[in-house]
Amino acid sequence: TKGRSTAGIRSHNARLTEDDVRAILAKHQEGVGQRPIAKVFGVGRTIVQDIINRRRWGSLSRLPELA
């Protein structure tokens, strides 16, 4: 695939919007656990973990920095 995978909202499989990702990071910074966040957004805990660790949606600009 030569590193040209579709990222973020451009992926036809995307379940989250950019605003959702920002909200997930904000909730994490507030101390909310990964499982409750995942339940609210209808995704798995590992998706939330990957967002927090910037393995998913890392290309999204202006994300809140993690403390």
Side-chain angles (χ1 to χ4, degrees), residues 17-43:
T17 65
E18 292 179 5
D19 289 340
D20 291 339
V21 173
R22 287 186 178 94
I24 286 169
L25 291 169
K27 287 186 178 297
H28 174 70
Q29 285 182 327
E30 293 168 5
V32 179
Q34 293 178 10
R35 286 191 177 148
I37 294 172
K39 188 172 184 179
V40 166
F41 289 94
V43 295

Side-chain angles (χ1 to χ4, degrees), residues 37-65:
I37 294 172
K39 188 172 184 179
V40 166
F41 289 94
V43 295
R45 184 198 55 81
T46 56
I47 300 295
V48 173
Q49 182 179 29
D50 287 350
I51 290 169
I52 291 166
N53 293 322
R54 308 299 168 112
R55 287 189 294 255
R56 293 182 191 252
W57 287 87
S59 62
L60 186 60
S61 62
R62 297 183 310 271
L63 288 175
E65 290 301 318

